[in-house]
Amino acid sequence: YAKSKFSEDTLFSVRSSASAEDGANFSFAGQLDTFLFVKYSDISSKIAQCRASAESSGINEYLSFSGISQNEFSMTVIVQVMIDAELSGVLFTANPQGIINETVITVGRGTGDNVVEDKVPVTTYYCNHSDGTTYAEISGDSPVLETGMLTELLSISAHIRQLFGCECDIEYAIKNNCLYILQARPITTLQLVSQASQMRK
């Protein structure tokens, strides 16, 4: 994007998007660099750092362990306008523990990195598709979603699941009561649970 499209105060997030990252069978969660609250003038250097993280020894070991060849792994970077979120969270369209008819939603204060790294207390919602019931586990002073926002999350996540054609792991942010979808990917652990269940049959 041309700089003229943004104000001097606009900040960005610079995120990895590798070809084998977060696919149906593999996840590189936490292994590739992400940069938040990046100034426009620093975008190029952060893109370079993000791309360089794909050359780390940890990535090479994971590729080898997962049986992924270097030819299958290519690195790109996504630059997004930074949402300085009031609330952030992760939504699983199916419970990764193998409960297909249950959507799981977590929410905490601040940006998503604080939530996924357990730096802030979260509220977790379990939404049953069969009977429409929802119950919440609230830790400490974690936030509670308004009913309208919870309904919107469930509606949008169902649409994303339909688009992907599979159960999804979705990252979202909320600012000024507006919902932003930041990322969506297949749930890798759900498939592992399903495979393990079939092995026990």
Side-chain angles (χ1 to χ4, degrees):
Y1 294 108
K3 185 176 181 180
S4 60
K5 290 181 176 290
F6 306 104
S7 72
E8 291 295 327
D9 297 328
T10 303
L11 298 174
F12 302 85
S13 65
V14 180
R15 310 178 60 157
S16 64
S17 181
S19 56
E21 181 181 8
D22 303 319
N25 301 310
F26 307 104
S27 174
F28 287 74
Q31 298 189 56
L32 296 167
D33 287 343
T34 289
F35 300 96
L36 305 180
F37 299 101
V38 177
K39 295 179 180 179
Y40 187 92
S41 59
D42 294 333
I43 289 177
S44 294
S45 64
K46 295 305 181 185
I47 289 175
Q49 290 180 53
C50 190
R51 290 179 62 85
S53 68
E55 304 296 329
S56 70
S57 59
I59 291 295
N60 290 330
E61 289 175 8
Y62 186 84
L63 291 174
S64 177
F65 174 79
S66 304
I68 304 172
S69 70
Q70 289 287 347
N71 292 334
E72 295 177 277
F73 184 76
S74 60
M75 178 69 172
T76 55
V77 177
I78 295 174
V79 178
Q80 298 171 303
V81 173
M82 183 70 205
I83 305 298
D84 190 6
E86 297 159 0
L87 303 175
S88 298
V90 178
L91 182 154
F92 296 94
T93 58
N95 190 320
Q97 297 302 313
I99 307 173
I100 302 298
N101 71 332
E102 183 176 75
T103 292
V104 181
I105 303 171
T106 63
V107 61
R109 291 187 175 85
T111 52
D113 56 320
N114 292 323
V115 175
V116 299
E117 295 173 13
D118 296 325
K119 293 181 179 179
V120 295
V122 299
T123 296
T124 303
Y125 295 88
Y126 299 89
C127 308
N128 188 291
H129 302 172
S130 301
D131 58 17
T133 59
T134 296
Y135 74 93
E137 292 181 351
I138 303 173
S139 60
D141 62 347
S142 59
V144 175
L145 291 171
E146 295 181 0
T147 300
M149 183 58 70
L150 188 61
T151 300
E152 186 176 356
L153 273 166
L154 290 170
S155 176
I156 289 179
S157 65
H159 181 59
I160 291 172
R161 179 178 56 202
Q162 184 178 24
L163 288 175
F164 274 65
C166 64
E167 303 297 345
C168 292
D169 168 357
I170 300 166
E171 295 180 19
Y172 69 90
I174 299 171
K175 185 175 178 63
N176 297 328
N177 208 36
C178 184
L179 174 63
Y180 299 87
I181 300 300
L182 306 178
Q183 177 173 282
R185 57 197 174 194
I187 302 175
T188 55
T189 54
L190 182 64
Q191 184 172 6
L192 296 177
V193 169
S194 299
Q195 289 174 347
S197 298
Q198 298 208 352
M199 290 174 66
R200 289 195 293 269
K201 291 181 181 179

